[in-house]
Each structure stands twice: as C-alpha cells, then as structure tokens.
Amino acid sequence: MEITEVLVQSVDKPLGTGGHPYFSWKIISEEKNTIQQNYRLTVTTQDGHVCMDTGVVSSRKNAYVPYSGEPLNSRNAYTVMLEVTDNHGETATAVSFFETGLLHREDWQSNWIIAEKKRKKAQPGFGKQFPSTLFRQSFPVKSGLKQARLYATAHGVYELYINGAPADERCFAPEHTVYGKYLCVQTYDVTKLLATGSNAIGFHVGDGWYFSPNAKPNMKTDNQHAVLYQLELLYENGERQLVSSGEDAQTSEGPVVSADLYAGELYDAAREIRDWSNSTCREGQWTPAKVKTYGYDNLVPQCGDRVIAVERFPVKDVLRSPRGECILDFGQNLAGRVRITMPLKEGQRLRLEHCEVLDREGNYYNNIMSAGGVGKGCDQTDEYISDGADVSYEPHFTYHGFRYARLTVDGKAPETVDPAWFTAVLLSSEKKDVGSFFCSDEALNRLYRNIRYSQASNMLSIPTDCPQREKAGWTGDMLVYARTAMLNEDCTVLFSRWLENMSKEQDRYGIVPMVVPENGAYPMTGKLMNLMAGAKGKATSSGWGDAAVIVPYSMYEVTGNTEVLKRQYYCMRRWCDYIIRQAKTEKPKDCKRPDEIEQYLWDTGYHYGEWLVPSQSKNGLDTKNLKKIMAESSCYTAPIFGWYSVSTFAHISRILSEEDPTQALYATDAPKYAMIADKMKEAIQKGVIGSDGSMPSTLMGAYVLPLYFDLVPEAHKKRFADDLVRSIETNDFCLDTGFLATPFLLDALCKIGQEDLAYRLLWQTKAPSWLSEVEAGGTTIWENCFGYDEAGNPGTLSFNHYAFGSVADWIYRNVNGIAPAEAGFGKVIIAPKLDGKLTSASRTFDSVNGDIASDWHIEERNGAKYFCMQVKIPCNCEATVILPSGKTDSVGSGVYSYEDEI
C-alpha cells in the first residue's frame, strides 16, 4: 500500500496559501478490497516544531481534512507528514510541504505605486482605452542567495518579469474578484531567476476587469494602473533583504496602445522598450513612480488555479469568403487569442477580427455585436503595428470567444497566407482533468467534446456564461452546471474562491445577486429590475441566487467536501432566510390563496423563469415580450427553487451536525429548516399544483421539476407522467426545457419508467436537441438550441455556453453507469443502461479516492450477444455492480471483469 497525491488546498506543494488549509490524499494497493483504517496527520515547521498532530484517527476520511492546529505564521514553510494504516494491516507514510503567504496587514512593508501621468476613463469599443503601464525597479543581490519570494498584486491585470524573463506562465493576474473586498495576492518563487549583482523587476499592467467599461467594479476607482509588490530574499547565512514597491520604482507607457477584455488590443511594436525589465535598460522615457494610499485590508493570498494556455490549435483552413475576405478557421470554438508570426514590413498594420460563426454565405459575422445591448463594445479585434522586426506576438490583456478570425493587413485581405503564421491559444484556469468518456457513436463523442470545450472556455478566473459577450459570473448557469463541471475537472479551488466572492457580494437582506462579481452594468440593471418588481436590495432571481446553496452542495456530492459547506454556511443560511421572509411577507396582487399556503410560496419579485425555453426563443430572445415569457415559467420555478434551497440547506445542516455534534447551530438549524421546507412542499402541492393535478403552465419544465423533486401528490403522479410524455410527443420528441429544467429532464423521465424516451431525446438530431448542434457543425454548447434560423442565418446569442451541457452528468450515470451511492463516491453503483444503439462505452472518473472506471462493449459469438464489462474500483471505495440481466455483485477495490448474455 502506498500514499499518493498528498494535496494542500487541493494543490500539490502550494506556495502562498491562506491560514486555514485542508489536506487530501489517496492510497493505492495491489491488494483487493483495501480500505483506509486510520490515519495520523502532523504539520511541523522547518525546525521541527509540531503545529498540529491529529493523533491516530480511526476513519476512512482522506479528503478535505481541515487544519486544526495552532495559528499558522505568514511566509512560513511547513512539512506535512502522513501515516495511513489499511484494513490489511499495511502501513504507509508520505511527506509533503506547503508555504503560507502574507496573512496579515502588518506583513506588508510596501506601498502601492502608480504612474505620475493621470489616465482618463476608458470607453467601450476597440482603440478607446489608454496605454498599458510599465513599472520597473532595479536592486542588488548578494552572493549566497538561498530563497526569494515575491508577493504581488495590482489594480488592472499584470505580467511579471524578472531580469527580462516571465516569472511564470499565468495570464490576467490578479484575476477577477470583488476587488473592494477581495483582491488576490500571487506568490512567486523567483530564486532561480535572480543572479548575484544587479537585478530588475518589471510589471506590465493593462486594464483587465478593474478598468474595463464592461466589467468595472461596483466601487470608486481613479483609473490609475497600480501595483503592490514585496520581494523577500533569504541568504544562506540567515541574512534577509527586502525589495518593496515604492519611490525607487520607475514607470513608463507600454507598447499596448489600448486594450480591453471585450474590445481587443492595439499593439505598436515601435513603442517597445528594449530590455525594459532588465537592470541594463538604458532606453525609454522613465519617470519616478508615485506612492498611493489604497489600503491592504482586501488582500487575500491566492492559492492555485492560474489562468494559463491549456491547448493550442493550428489553422484548419484559410477561407476566402464571397465578399473576398480572408478568414482563418481554427476548427474549434474557444476562449483565448491568436499567436502571430506573420512577417510584416515596418508600419504595416495586421488586424484580426474574431467571431464564432460565419453568416449563411460564409462571410465574417460578429453575432455578438449584432445583438446590441450587452454586446456593445465587444469588437473582439486585435491589431499589431509592425516595427519591421520579426513578429512574435500574442495579445497581452484581452481574450476572445471565436473559431474564426478575419485577417487584414493595412485594411486589405492578404493574397498569400501561410497557416503556420497563426495559432489559436485556448486559455482557462488551471485544473486537474478528472474525467474521460468515449463510446461507439461519434456524434455522442463530439457532444462530449463540445461540453468539455465549453467548460474550458468558461472557467477563466471565474465560471462565466460566455467568453465573447458578457464574460460574467452568472449564478444560474453555474447552479445547473456545477455538478457536471466537477465530474469533468477538479474545480474545487476555482469554485471555492468564486463562492467566497459570492459571500462578499451578498447584501444586508441576504440577497445573492445574479452575477458574481456584480460589476459593469449589472448593478444598474439590477436597480431597474427591482423597480419593475417593487423589490429592495440587490436584484436576484430564483434559480440564480439559489446557487449560494446548490453549488457548494454539488461540490459536496461529487467530492464529499464538507469544508466548503462550513465556509459557505452563513451565506447559504442568509439566502434561505431571504427566501422565507419574501414568501411570508410579500403576496402577489389579487392572490386568493389562503395565508397558511401563501406564506410558504416564493412567488413575488423578479424571476427569469426557466430561461431560454426553446419554444420561447426560436427566433432569439424576444426582449419586447420578455416579462410575459419569464412569467410563463417563473410561476413554478420560483416556488420550486425556493423550496429546493431551503430543503437542501436543511440537509446540509444535518450532514454537518452528524460530522460535528458539538456544533449546536447545525443541530438546531437542521429540524428548523426541514420543517419550513416541508411546509413549502405542501404549499406547492396545494397552491401551485391544481386540485386536479394541473399546472399553471403547460411548458415541459412544469412537469419535469415537480416529478424530479418528488413534489407531486401521489394522486396526481400518473397525470404528471402522462402530461410530460405528451408534451414531448407533441413537440416531435424534441426537448423544450430551459436552463433550470434541462438538467432534470432525462432523470424525470427515468423516474416515471420512460428510460427509452429519455434515450430518444438524447439521440434526437432535429432542433431543438443536443445532437442537432453537433449535426450543424457546432464544436461547443450553444446558449440557444436554435442557433440558426430555418434559412441558415446564425442567431445573435452565444455559441459557447455550457448550461445545456449539464446532460453529461446523466450520460455518465446511465450510459456508463457510474453513480455515487454516497457523497464523494466512497460507495458507488456501476449499472450501465443499454439502449440498443451503443455497442461500447468507456468512462473514467478520478474521484477523491482514485480512478473509477466502467468500460463495456457488446460481443456477438455463436449467434448470441454478450455484454462484456471491465470495472475498476479504487482503494477506500466499495461498489455494487448491476449487470443488464439484473445480476449484482458487491466488490471493493480492484479490477473486475463481467460477462452477461443479453
């Protein structure tokens, strides 16, 4: 038996952690049926002082074990020592490390600095921003350097250079957060980048989210790029040296003439200052940096999940459009930018205009700009002005959502283009890939890849809705997709940080806004929504604010992570209290329901409803009739999702109470909120569902949600089942559910015994359906199932939106049959459900215990068909295997083969 993957904060040997880490590990063994019997975890300083010692703990728990020792100190390295004993009497040990960042205000001995020259407020649109800023500082290093740590952050986004070399490969630091309350500090090990003698630090700073007109934080800013850094050197003889941001630094304008995350970047190579981040630099016009008082109370150490380049795509084809345009086709819709090496003469201007789709004739078409409204300023354009030298350029401070890029040089389409001059770079937050899927049907494989690419494109610093238009942290999108996301990648660090920012955005009423961070135009949009609904506080909606509860619970379901439940507990609780209060105190006009029912229904305020139900959005988003469209489904989504949050929170309280019986709050909350949830369920059964079993809407989702959540009274279950089946049949066996109901559609059908119909929907290739997008050549998941009209014209909504990709969760649990029998997959059920079309399917999932795999195929031998499957179960896990014939087998860790005649 061995211990592997000892992680701190879900990261291997992290630098710059906060003061409250947690620990995870896995065990591997060739011995079958291996279970962890006990563990002992100790944390010590480098001089051997024991900060934490759990003693021998009899438990199978091997993930999200919280630090419970004496307070950790800033900038300290700690050793993690782990000893595990299994049920076979085997014992193994492992050692890992972590290092804390700057944990306290008094740790900072540096000043914020800005350029002397004042900058004006940026405007939306390409070329309407102001130049990037270069900050540099020279300093000496003595011989005998042992260690060097740099702590840094900025207003804007920055690239860090030491002696002319990038400090690492990250993009867009310090990333996208609620800046006024939560600004990330990055920690860099720069020891190997320094040399004895003269050295230099360089920061190249662009606008980022902090100054973007489309994403500016909801706070006062002064439009000045600013940096804060502290370099701490430790020598072999114990001597320490501090290099800090202050008046010793110099500033100059950078070669980026203008840049915006939405509009694009204009770069003038002639403005480059040679060797600017080296101590030998003698060029450029440099002025002393100006010290500025901004404060330190919002600074938070960032651990893990950098934004990096995760994949690169060559040009698939160079197209010539009917209009004579030169269009680069990279073959994949993605979030990122294009790397350029095209030779140019001095003064030539190369321009790339990015888009997701072409028009019906094959011409360039910016569908986002055509949408107006939130598409304003989303030019998605990059321009490079040559200085005559060899070109090696990739935009610094922008990214786009695109598959295609229209190329011009000096305003004209070039006659000759070498595809090797251009490479598309996919950017995403760095996460561990934990899932794979492959089957005998190429269309389903392409759907899976589309889901994965939409996820990669929209997990960039925060979970976003789309990479080309809003790039915003819409909470409703994450609510429906969080579980699927965690089954594809370990998003623990990314989601945890986003949830912490959600807590920062929660207002005094307990309201969680629609978008986190709530920036750009969203606060004003929210005020207008509240005026329409007569509501107070930040604008929210059922199904969106409910992400406060459902996202952490989805993380728990997949990983067993109770730490995120504890850390988000008060945010969840305050959100549920808001729902309960709204239901009790607000009543719709002309309401005729008895008070004992109405006081438990959340049926007032502004609600999006299901959102983008295909039959309501066939011709795009009908903004003129939006209020009526939303009301058609919010009449059931609001009370149901209100109940969903409260009921789930009661369950969370019970989970935490069982884990830690000493916490009285959990024990008190569990029955309290369970009772309210029961009242809400009863109110839905009596106040939303009619006495005859009818619903206030005949949309497909009106039957899906009550059936899935077991809200339908026994007497009406048959009618609901019949109505759901009928709604699918009359819709020509196509789906007609929006964001909020789609994740539950196929499961609802399985619950009423309609597995065949569920598969029929999955295999449907006519719009609206999942595979219709594949048939149309889509390479990501679309925001609207009707991406194109009947004439073949593309719509104006996003073609890279992961919400409808939540179907992958159902595929994994049914096609491959891997489903958790308890949170964290410590116990699993392997039960593939055959549909008669697939002849093979393979799925692996790297759970917190290790790889779970289901690999099956159908063989024909001597006139008979056999279902053949190989199953892999990791240590610390138990499985129930159910074959198509109904035969079952209970197994522990190991690899097992099965054959079943069908």
Side-chain angles (χ1 to χ4, degrees):
M1 189 259 290
E2 296 178 35
I3 303 171
T4 65
E5 296 186 41
V6 181
L7 305 179
V8 183
Q9 294 286 98
S10 300
V11 180
D12 182 28
K13 302 180 180 66
L15 289 179
T17 70
H20 304 282
Y22 54 78
F23 308 93
S24 304
W25 61 89
K26 295 176 182 176
I27 59 174
I28 56 174
S29 174
E30 295 181 359
E31 189 82 25
K32 285 188 175 183
N33 305 312
T34 297
I35 297 288
Q36 175 179 292
Q37 201 80 356
N38 58 61
Y39 70 86
R40 182 178 182 179
L41 185 67
T42 59
V43 176
T44 63
T45 60
Q46 295 302 287
D47 61 7
H49 173 71
V50 178
C51 304
M52 182 184 101
D53 185 347
T54 63
V56 177
V57 180
S58 297
S59 172
R60 291 173 56 173
K61 188 176 180 69
N62 66 315
Y64 308 102
V65 176
Y67 177 80
S68 57
E70 60 189 50
L72 298 174
N73 295 318
S74 296
R75 62 171 79 79
N76 265 28
Y78 294 89
T79 300
V80 180
M81 292 177 287
L82 178 66
E83 182 179 285
V84 170
T85 302
D86 67 19
N87 57 323
H88 304 299
E90 293 273 336
T91 297
T93 60
V95 177
S96 189
F97 308 90
F98 70 96
E99 185 175 305
T100 52
L102 301 184
L103 306 180
H104 310 292
R105 162 66 183 85
E106 55 269 22
D107 296 327
W108 285 97
Q109 300 175 50
S110 303
N111 294 299
W112 282 97
I113 55 173
I114 62 173
E116 183 73 35
K117 184 178 179 180
K118 291 187 177 181
R119 303 171 73 251
K120 296 180 180 179
K121 183 178 179 181
Q123 300 299 317
F126 178 74
K128 296 182 180 181
Q129 301 79 44
F130 298 92
S132 59
T133 305
L134 302 178
F135 295 84
R136 66 184 304 276
Q137 181 174 351
S138 296
F139 59 95
V141 174
K142 302 174 184 178
S143 61
L145 180 66
K146 179 181 180 180
Q147 174 183 292
R149 297 289 185 265
L150 179 65
Y151 308 96
T153 190
H155 292 171
V157 291
Y158 72 87
E159 298 171 338
L160 171 63
Y161 299 86
I162 304 290
N163 293 329
D168 73 356
E169 58 183 336
R170 77 176 68 213
C171 307
F172 306 131
E175 306 209 14
H176 193 189
T177 56
V178 183
Y179 293 123
K181 300 177 181 178
Y182 194 110
L183 178 61
C184 287
V185 174
Q186 290 71 47
T187 302
Y188 301 87
D189 180 357
V190 298
T191 311
K192 294 181 180 179
L193 296 176
L194 299 176
T196 301
S198 184
N199 293 260
I201 301 172
F203 283 81
H204 189 191
V205 183
D207 284 4
W209 295 275
Y210 206 100
F211 299 108
S212 171
N214 291 47
K216 195 169 183 179
N218 187 22
M219 57 185 251
K220 290 183 178 180
T221 62
D222 59 7
N223 302 312
Q224 294 290 102
H225 292 156
V227 293
L228 174 71
Y229 56 88
Q230 189 159 301
L231 174 62
E232 301 186 359
L233 309 179
L234 175 64
Y235 292 92
E236 294 288 355
N237 62 6
E239 182 183 351
R240 295 181 181 273
Q241 178 184 347
L242 179 69
V243 179
S244 59
S245 51
E247 294 176 347
D248 290 339
Q250 298 175 305
T251 71
S252 181
E253 286 189 349
V256 175
V257 179
S258 69
D260 178 73
L261 286 167
Y262 300 79
E265 180 170 300
L266 173 60
Y267 188 94
D268 187 350
R271 292 167 55 98
E272 294 177 350
I273 301 175
R274 187 173 56 184
D275 295 331
W276 71 273
S277 60
N278 277 307
S279 61
T280 56
C281 177
R282 298 295 181 266
E283 297 183 2
Q285 296 180 350
W286 296 91
T287 58
K290 183 179 179 180
V291 171
K292 187 78 172 182
T293 303
Y294 285 123
Y296 306 83
D297 293 339
N298 60 336
L299 302 183
V300 180
Q302 178 180 342
C303 178
D305 276 11
R306 308 169 298 172
V307 175
I308 60 169
V310 296
E311 193 171 352
R312 291 173 172 83
F313 298 84
V315 173
K316 180 182 178 182
D317 200 1
V318 178
L319 308 174
R320 297 288 172 174
S321 76
R323 294 177 186 154
E325 302 159 312
C326 177
I327 299 175
L328 308 176
D329 177 8
F330 294 97
Q332 176 62 53
N333 199 9
L334 57 91
R337 51 210 188 186
V338 177
R339 183 163 189 80
I340 303 166
T341 57
M342 182 178 183
L344 296 168
K345 297 178 181 179
E346 183 177 358
Q348 282 191 308
R349 303 173 78 106
L350 182 153
R351 174 176 284 209
L352 288 177
E353 297 165 282
H354 305 73
C355 65
E356 296 185 293
V357 292
L358 303 179
D359 72 11
R360 183 177 60 182
E361 288 78 29
N363 298 300
Y364 168 84
Y365 177 64
N366 188 331
N367 63 305
I368 302 306
M369 287 291 287
S370 301
V374 293
K376 182 180 179 182
C378 300
D379 301 70
Q380 295 213 120
T381 298
D382 296 326
E383 188 169 303
Y384 178 87
I385 305 173
S386 174
D387 63 351
D390 291 343
V391 178
S392 180
Y393 167 70
E394 184 178 324
H396 297 259
F397 303 125
T398 191
Y399 77 96
H400 311 295
F402 70 100
R403 170 177 171 169
Y404 304 94
R406 179 169 63 181
L407 169 65
T408 58
V409 177
D410 291 339
K412 299 178 181 179
E415 294 182 3
T416 303
V417 175
D418 184 345
W421 292 338
F422 304 93
T423 303
V425 182
L426 171 59
L427 300 177
S428 188
S429 288
E430 186 178 30
K431 303 173 296 299
K432 182 183 179 182
D433 187 353
V434 297
S436 68
F437 171 82
F438 186 80
C439 71
S440 57
D441 185 87
E442 186 48 40
L444 198 58
N445 291 335
R446 181 67 249 189
L447 175 63
Y448 168 73
R449 293 197 296 273
N450 290 3
I451 293 168
R452 293 301 304 265
Y453 277 118
S454 274
Q455 178 165 328
S457 298
N458 286 293
M459 298 290 169
L460 194 154
S461 188
I462 62 169
T464 62
D465 60 331
C466 57
Q468 71 305 89
R469 184 184 66 216
E470 296 181 76
K471 308 186 184 194
W474 280 94
T475 50
D477 302 53
M478 192 74 272
L479 178 146
V480 300
Y481 190 74
R483 180 184 168 91
T484 301
M486 292 291 295
L487 292 169
N488 291 331
E489 297 177 294
D490 184 359
C491 302
T492 299
V493 176
L494 179 69
F495 288 0
S496 295
R497 185 172 69 230
W498 184 67
L499 288 169
E500 289 172 11
N501 278 264
M502 180 184 289
S503 298
K504 300 294 184 183
E505 289 284 27
Q506 191 172 32
D507 72 9
R508 62 193 179 95
Y509 300 103
I511 296 172
V512 170
M514 309 167 296
V515 175
V516 175
E518 189 189 35
N519 52 19
Y522 297 112
M524 182 57 68
T525 302
K527 289 180 180 180
L528 294 174
M529 289 167 52
N530 278 350
L531 283 174
M532 292 171 59
K536 296 179 181 179
K538 294 186 175 183
T540 192
S541 167
S542 55
W544 273 254
D546 297 302
V549 178
I550 306 307
V551 172
Y553 184 70
S554 296
M555 295 170 67
Y556 163 76
E557 285 185 301
V558 176
T559 66
N561 182 357
T562 55
E563 282 303 290
V564 72
L565 301 182
K566 294 173 187 174
R567 296 180 185 192
Q568 292 301 121
Y569 192 81
Y570 286 100
C571 178
M572 293 188 281
R573 192 174 192 261
R574 294 181 65 227
W575 170 251
C576 289
D577 288 343
Y578 165 75
I579 294 170
I580 295 165
R581 187 169 58 251
Q582 286 297 106
K584 188 172 184 177
T585 60
E586 302 294 330
K587 185 183 296 187
K589 292 181 180 179
D590 304 319
C591 177
K592 298 179 181 178
R593 299 187 189 97
D595 286 345
E596 61 268 21
I597 292 175
E598 178 57 32
Q599 67 175 318
Y600 292 104
L601 291 176
W602 188 20
D603 53 6
T604 59
Y606 191 99
H607 299 283
Y608 287 117
E610 282 194 49
W611 194 248
L612 289 179
V613 174
S615 61
Q616 295 179 329
S617 55
K618 188 172 183 179
N619 298 313
L621 191 61
D622 184 0
T623 55
K624 292 182 180 179
N625 297 300
L626 189 58
K627 187 175 181 180
K628 179 182 177 182
I629 288 171
M630 294 189 301
E632 191 175 352
S633 57
S634 65
C635 58
Y636 55 85
T637 58
I640 289 175
F641 274 82
W643 165 85
Y644 186 21
S645 276
V646 176
S647 176
T648 302
F649 179 66
H651 182 52
I652 289 169
S653 300
R654 186 163 56 252
I655 291 166
L656 296 180
S657 178
E658 291 172 355
E659 182 179 82
D660 187 357
T662 65
Q663 293 294 325
L665 179 63
Y666 302 149
T668 303
D669 279 352
K672 172 187 172 181
Y673 287 92
M675 181 188 70
I676 296 172
D678 288 343
K679 294 284 188 181
M680 297 173 84
K681 178 176 180 178
E682 182 182 6
I684 291 169
Q685 293 177 331
K686 294 180 179 179
V688 178
I689 300 173
S691 58
D692 59 351
S694 62
M695 284 291 285
S697 170
T698 57
L699 288 172
M700 193 178 291
Y703 311 117
V704 169
L705 293 174
L707 283 168
Y708 176 83
F709 288 118
D710 292 323
L711 296 172
V712 183
E714 190 66 35
H716 302 317
K717 286 185 176 179
K718 185 179 184 307
R719 172 171 178 174
F720 263 75
D722 292 344
D723 285 346
L724 175 56
V725 171
R726 189 179 303 110
S727 71
I728 295 171
E729 291 173 344
T730 56
N731 200 46
D732 206 9
F733 295 95
C734 293
L735 68 85
D736 194 37
T737 47
F739 279 23
L740 295 191
T742 295
F744 311 108
L745 170 60
L746 301 186
D747 278 309
L749 287 170
C750 291
K751 290 185 82 165
I752 61 174
Q754 293 286 342
E755 290 89 354
D756 290 345
L757 184 53
Y759 267 111
R760 185 167 181 176
L761 281 178
L762 178 65
W763 291 118
Q764 177 63 264
T765 57
K766 188 176 72 172
S769 67
W770 291 283
L771 291 184
S772 67
E773 298 176 14
V774 173
E775 291 284 312
T779 60
T780 43
I781 300 298
W782 302 346
E783 182 179 15
N784 184 359
C785 292
F786 291 106
Y788 296 82
D789 65 19
E790 293 178 355
N793 298 303
T796 58
L797 295 179
S798 166
F799 284 83
N800 198 346
H801 230 87
Y802 51 60
F804 284 112
S806 57
V807 68
D809 173 27
W810 186 90
I811 292 171
Y812 302 153
R813 288 183 285 108
N814 289 272
V815 172
N816 305 101
I818 301 177
E822 69 177 21
F825 287 79
K827 295 181 180 179
V828 298
I829 298 172
I830 311 290
K833 298 177 178 62
L834 305 186
D835 73 322
K837 182 169 182 175
L838 289 175
T839 57
S840 66
S842 176
R843 160 79 173 158
T844 61
F845 172 59
D846 188 2
S847 72
V848 294
N849 291 308
D851 282 343
I852 302 170
S854 164
D855 186 352
W856 63 264
H857 66 277
I858 294 173
E859 291 183 7
E860 290 193 31
R861 297 195 302 268
N862 301 321
K865 288 187 176 181
Y866 295 89
F867 172 83
C868 305
M869 179 170 67
Q870 187 176 83
V871 170
K872 181 181 179 182
I873 306 299
C875 294
N876 223 24
C877 183
E878 299 170 292
T880 300
V881 180
I882 305 175
L883 302 178
S885 65
K887 298 175 183 176
T888 63
D889 189 19
S890 296
V891 297
S893 63
V895 177
Y896 306 89
S897 297
Y898 299 91
E899 185 172 285
D900 196 23
E901 187 172 358
I902 54 175

